[in-house]
Amino acid sequence: MKQSERTLTSSDLLQGSDCSTVEFNCHKAQSIHEVNSLLARYGQKARILVGGTDLLVMMKHSETQPEILVDISELPELDYIQLRDGFLEIGSTTTLASVEDSHLVKKHIPILHEAVVTIASRQLRNMASLGGNLCNASPAADTTTSLMALDAEVELTGSQATRSLSIEKFYAGVNKSIIGMDELLTKIRVPLSPPRTGTDFFKLGRTAEDIAVVNGAVRLTLTSDGKFADVRIALGAVAPVVMRAHEAEELLVGNVPQESLIEKASLVAVGETKPITDIRASASYRRAVTRTLLHQSFKNALGRVDV
Amino acid sequence: MVKLVRLIVNQVSYDTPARSSDTLAEVLRNKLGLTGTKISCDQGDCGACTVIVDNKPVLSCLMLIEKAEGKNIQTVEGLAEDGELHPVQQAFIANFGTQCGYCEPGMLMAAKALLDGNPNPSELEIRQALSGNLCRCGSYRGAVKSIQAAVSLMESRRPI
């Protein structure tokens, strides 16, 4: 939990503190085009609103003071989960609860389900959107970690153009994405896994609602003779952005899964991380626990490879 | 900017002045006098402010008032019917579901939302559904027991 910057009085505690010292308007957008125009016009003074579960907290802590909230929660063209051309597509305003309940997600990209159920609470997930969670750009975001291992893409729609990029390229730093001033995250696109693929997601938290101390996801594809053909390892809360452990991945590709190799890969992956010491854990604890959990995660994913 | 908002709470329609920056929790408590819903952390972590909006449990301290307009809102005050407590309320009383009671309205609404969608949850499902409701008195075991008792109570009352 973050500490409020000003002193709370007892009346605040009983009544709830004012969420903003700056007057703002709430505007229900009628189209994506209108969203682009408003973002271009108001710049930093505009914020996108779906569930508001990150935004309201930031406003209450005076970390952001928007003048206009562009409510996109009622744009039907952004709320969907569908299979299309070998991809699972999720609209950006789709709530985390909808993602959690989706049979398509459970069937085709189960680690996204596994990640989403660990986020905060059901109450929060009923409000929060997948797009909002990704745009908040936390280096510990469970959605980002699982989607990165799944090789997901995000679609960004601006006034002039729409572009897609891998989720790995979407982040620039702590709570910083590369989204343009007038752009809206409109879609998340996840390729369906090839045959002989197994996946796993892990998260360490102190209690059920917690932000991850560490999290991670793996996606392994084996050749017909049982060697690693493709390996993706995503790790969160151990660097300024959710990261891929490329060196560890390269170590595994082309080789037979073996305990000693998996252990070596786990160590190499930890070597690629840059964890910090913060309120949730020390850097050394994060390194130690990532090694253990990643090792187990490889084994879980191998056990789930569909033949 | 103050404007008039229309809220439907426990099937009653209210027209009340509110600022854009007011949250549903604040308006329920300070404007409508429905103080059953509690504000505790005021940042979406503790669940004390849980209400049900369009059949889904949500955090009213993070819901701006304009987002609540036109939606079907249920608070703890709306659980009892014709003066009779809802089975979850009866079960919490009979099974020491809480101690000081401050987390209770949030727990009750989260429990009701769970049972409305899943009338026979496992213990794990109960714990998962309530994982967003913190209790500083540590009455989690009592809350789980109460909900299990409510399940039986509601089952015994269901018409065959």
Side-chain angles (χ1 to χ4, degrees):
Chain A
M1 287 194 212
K2 288 187 186 170
Q3 294 300 315
S4 183
E5 279 177 10
R6 64 171 181 79
T7 313
L8 289 174
T9 66
S10 57
S11 63
D12 287 330
L13 295 170
L14 292 170
Q15 291 174 43
S17 53
D18 202 347
C19 82
S20 180
T21 49
V22 169
E23 282 250 350
F24 63 85
N25 279 326
C26 241
H27 176 80
K28 281 201 176 84
Q30 302 299 313
S31 69
I32 294 171
H33 185 73
E34 191 194 1
V35 175
N36 296 134
S37 305
L38 287 168
L39 292 176
R41 186 170 144 200
Y42 285 93
Q44 300 282 15
K45 299 200 194 119
R47 284 290 194 160
I48 298 290
L49 174 64
V50 182
T53 55
D54 279 321
L55 180 63
L56 270 268
V57 177
M58 288 170 67
M59 287 168 72
K60 288 183 192 207
H61 296 165
S62 300
E63 286 163 15
T64 184
Q65 296 183 311
E67 289 175 16
I68 179 167
L69 303 186
V70 183
D71 185 346
I72 61 170
S73 61
E74 284 170 28
L75 291 174
E77 63 264 44
L78 295 178
D79 181 10
Y80 60 87
I81 301 174
Q82 70 190 18
L83 266 178
R84 203 167 144 196
D85 302 328
F87 287 81
L88 194 67
E89 298 190 336
I90 305 175
S92 59
T93 65
T94 306
T95 63
L96 296 180
S98 295
V99 174
E100 178 181 352
D101 296 343
S102 162
H103 293 296
L104 286 177
V105 170
K106 279 183 222 172
K107 180 174 176 196
H108 296 287
I109 48 173
I111 55 170
L112 181 59
H113 170 86
E114 286 169 36
V116 166
V117 296
T118 69
I119 298 173
S121 62
R122 180 70 182 184
Q123 290 96 312
L124 184 133
R125 299 196 294 275
N126 276 326
M127 301 164 81
S129 63
L130 179 57
N133 189 242
L134 295 175
C135 287
N136 186 50
S138 165
D142 309 300
T143 52
T144 303
T145 302
S146 54
L147 287 169
M148 199 178 286
L150 291 167
D151 202 22
E153 280 181 356
V154 292
E155 178 189 85
L156 307 175
T157 302
S159 320
Q160 309 298 331
T162 295
R163 55 177 175 146
S164 286
L165 61 164
S166 79
I167 211 160
E168 207 182 338
K169 298 207 166 76
F170 185 53
Y171 296 108
V174 178
N175 294 122
K176 240 190 292 198
S177 77
I178 55 84
I179 201 164
M181 182 69 76
D182 71 334
E183 280 181 319
L184 181 63
L185 173 59
T186 40
K187 184 189 296 192
I188 296 94
R189 230 164 142 247
V190 189
L192 299 190
S193 300
R196 286 185 301 278
T197 296
T199 57
D200 188 60
F201 171 80
F202 67 85
K203 172 179 177 177
L204 181 67
R206 192 171 53 90
T207 73
E209 283 195 279
D210 282 351
I211 291 170
V213 168
V214 298
N215 64 27
V218 303
R219 195 189 79 170
L220 316 166
T221 304
L222 303 183
T223 62
S224 49
D225 57 339
K227 296 189 183 145
F228 286 115
D230 185 64
V231 177
R232 282 156 202 283
I233 304 165
L235 297 171
V238 289
V241 297
V242 176
M243 52 168 276
R244 289 266 301 276
H246 289 289
E247 287 170 32
E249 292 171 1
E250 277 161 46
L251 195 70
L252 294 172
V253 171
N255 292 312
V256 175
Q258 265 177 357
E259 183 73 24
S260 54
L261 181 66
I262 288 168
E263 176 58 19
K264 189 162 177 217
S266 304
L267 283 169
V268 167
V270 168
E272 296 180 69
T273 63
K274 288 192 272 275
I276 59 168
T277 295
D278 67 8
I279 195 173
R280 279 180 283 278
S282 67
S284 61
Y285 181 75
R286 287 189 154 106
R287 276 190 284 266
V289 86
T290 297
R291 171 189 171 179
T292 307
L293 292 176
L294 182 56
H295 185 125
Q296 186 58 49
S297 196
F298 283 129
K299 287 153 90 158
N300 294 342
L302 282 167
R304 289 170 175 176
V305 170
D306 51 347
V307 227
Chain B
M1 186 175 73
V2 180
K3 57 195 284 209
L4 211 59
V5 295
R6 170 157 293 177
L7 298 173
I8 305 158
V9 186
N10 303 323
Q11 298 176 321
V12 174
S13 184
Y14 298 84
D15 285 326
T16 182
R19 295 171 301 173
S20 300
S21 57
D22 286 338
T23 60
L24 176 59
E26 288 165 337
V27 173
L28 286 170
R29 293 177 53 81
N30 303 330
K31 297 277 177 1
L32 305 188
L34 297 170
T35 55
T37 302
K38 306 305 180 199
I39 295 174
S40 182
C41 77
D42 202 23
Q43 57 181 33
D45 291 317
C46 74
C49 69
T50 302
V51 297
I52 298 174
V53 173
D54 287 346
N55 300 317
K56 297 173 191 174
V58 295
L59 303 164
S60 60
C61 75
L62 294 185
M63 187 173 273
L64 287 171
I65 195 61
E66 284 171 76
K67 300 277 282 176
E69 271 193 292
K71 307 230 162 102
N72 193 357
I73 301 164
Q74 297 176 60
T75 69
V76 67
E77 288 91 346
L79 286 182
E81 258 183 53
D82 300 323
E84 190 185 322
L85 295 178
H86 189 281
V88 281
Q89 289 172 303
Q90 294 177 39
F92 263 72
I93 293 168
N95 293 275
F96 300 100
T98 68
Q99 293 176 64
C100 79
Y102 206 75
C103 71
E104 191 158 28
M107 289 271 185
L108 290 171
M109 300 318 287
K112 178 171 192 290
L114 167 69
L115 297 179
D116 283 348
N118 182 359
N120 197 2
S122 65
E123 182 179 332
L124 181 60
E125 285 171 328
I126 293 171
R127 288 181 178 278
Q128 284 169 340
L130 259 65
S131 64
N133 292 79
L134 301 182
C135 170
R136 292 294 267 124
C137 297
S139 297
Y140 298 108
R141 197 154 159 262
V144 171
K145 269 194 71 191
S146 301
I147 293 167
Q148 289 170 327
V151 168
S152 307
L153 202 55
M154 288 163 83
E155 213 168 64
S156 66
R157 290 183 184 182
R158 236 189 303 280
I160 300 161

